[in-house]
Amino acid sequence: MTYQNILLEQPESGIYLLSVNRPKVLNALNAETVSEMESAIRTVSDDRNARVLLVTGAGEKAFVAGGDIAEMQGLHAMQAKTFSQQGLRVLRSLEQLAVPTIAVVNGYCLGGGNELAMACDWIMASDKAVFGQPEVNLGVTPGFGGTQRLTRRVGTAMAIEMITTGRNVKAEEAIAIGLVNHVYPAEQLMDEALKVARTIAAKGPVSVRLAKEAIQRGQHMDLDSAGLLESEVFALCFATTDQKEGMTAFVEKRKAAFKGE
Ligand code: HXC
């Protein structure tokens, strides 16, 4: 499928790369771009050979510099609500993808861009990355989940500080507050992301998906229910040929050849 505002590529088997591709406006998210992202996410979701999704921004300057301010400028309240709900729905579908997702943040990661990054499972950043929720500079609040996901990632106090001051955070501080997992020199970032993607793609595919699901669902449960969920997904692994292959390969001192079934 060809898109106008994004690219969806498979640089290697099982590894998807979704790039927001509007570099002239620092990859700002307009409604059409968000809609194309929804279709791309569905493509990844429907592919049982998918192993991991990387999300990035085209060009060298930005991951995504936010919602498209020029497009939002003239919206009335109900249109703004529709746009917000579209973004919330699409980012939730990204968050709920069965395969691990990594935001590969190569520059400005602001507003809706930071919300997109936080809808991924974790963030790898370049040393030039800048994170923030600057919506209050424009007289609005975050609208694609920032008030909720930033709070869950960095805690209430830091989220309120960032959102109410609009202060940007550079990559090293983003690590310190738990927003970013790792920082790399800009020119190494995509290679490092592909290395991680290859690592994940080589593991038992069913176990990777089930582990992500247990973590995501379990964090909203009490510990006993979450423990029960864990023992159920653990048991389910024993219904797969991948578990037989993985454990047999260990005992036979060879590399496992997983089939994802
Ligand atoms: C539309 C944008 C944009 C955006 C940049 N551009 N960000 N267009 N929406 N969010 C455009 C600029 O207008 C400019 O177009 C071109 O991209 C390059 O940007 P410059 O500002 O010239 O670059 P620079 O001086 O380097 O500054 C970079 C920047 C700045 C600091 C990132 O662009 C900036 O502050 N952008 C806005 C960031 C922001 O407020 N984001 C939150 C948006 S609200 P021209 O045509 O002049 O070359 C949001 C809410 C989402 O995200 C949820 C909604 C429901």
Side-chain angles (χ1 to χ4, degrees), residues 6-243:
I6 65 168
L7 296 169
L8 183 66
E9 301 161 289
Q10 255 188 286
E12 294 174 29
S13 175
I15 301 175
Y16 277 95
L17 175 64
L18 189 165
S19 307
V20 180
N21 189 26
R22 303 182 76 212
K24 284 189 184 150
V25 288
L26 306 187
N27 302 320
L29 300 175
N30 58 7
E32 192 180 56
T33 305
V34 178
S35 165
E36 290 184 1
M37 285 169 44
E38 183 164 36
S39 161
I41 290 163
R42 201 175 309 120
T43 298
V44 179
S45 173
D46 288 346
D47 181 357
R48 53 183 298 280
N49 293 316
R51 299 286 181 262
V52 58
L53 170 66
L54 306 176
V55 179
T56 195
E60 300 196 337
K61 208 169 155 186
F63 173 73
V64 166
D68 189 320
I69 299 166
E71 188 173 88
M72 285 185 288
Q73 184 186 9
L75 298 184
H76 60 62
M78 292 317 291
Q79 291 169 323
K81 185 168 181 182
T82 299
F83 185 45
S84 169
Q85 291 187 327
Q86 178 199 22
L88 288 168
R89 182 183 73 242
V90 174
L91 296 193
R92 186 74 175 132
S93 73
L94 172 61
E95 188 164 61
Q96 290 183 323
L97 262 183
V99 296
T101 57
I102 308 172
V104 184
V105 174
N106 47 319
Y108 287 113
C109 181
L110 303 175
N114 197 40
E115 292 167 315
L116 170 62
M118 292 189 296
C120 295
D121 293 322
W122 79 90
I123 301 174
M124 297 172 70
S126 101
D127 50 6
K128 295 189 182 136
V130 175
F131 299 83
Q133 298 286 160
E135 286 89 346
V136 290
N137 295 331
L138 304 165
V140 297
T141 63
F144 284 174
T147 60
Q148 305 311 308
R149 289 201 180 89
L150 188 62
T151 307
R152 286 163 172 74
R153 291 241 172 176
V154 304
T156 306
M158 185 55 80
I160 295 184
E161 181 195 324
M162 285 178 66
I163 289 173
T164 60
T165 63
R167 179 171 76 84
N168 288 344
V169 164
K170 291 187 180 159
E172 288 304 332
E173 185 180 357
I175 282 211
I177 63 175
L179 183 56
V180 161
N181 280 21
H182 303 285
V183 175
Y184 303 93
E187 60 283 3
Q188 290 173 20
L189 176 64
M190 189 48 75
D191 284 346
E192 295 293 340
L194 283 168
K195 264 190 222 166
V196 176
R198 261 176 232 128
T199 300
I200 294 168
K203 306 300 178 193
V206 180
S207 60
V208 167
R209 289 176 179 229
L210 289 176
K212 170 173 171 174
E213 190 176 352
I215 294 166
Q216 281 203 337
R217 288 187 190 273
Q219 66 190 332
H220 304 297
M221 295 176 173
D222 67 274
L223 195 57
D224 289 335
S225 305
L228 185 59
L229 172 65
E230 179 171 302
S231 66
E232 284 176 354
V233 301
F234 179 70
L236 190 53
C237 292
F238 286 75
T240 67
T241 57
D242 283 351
Q243 174 270 328

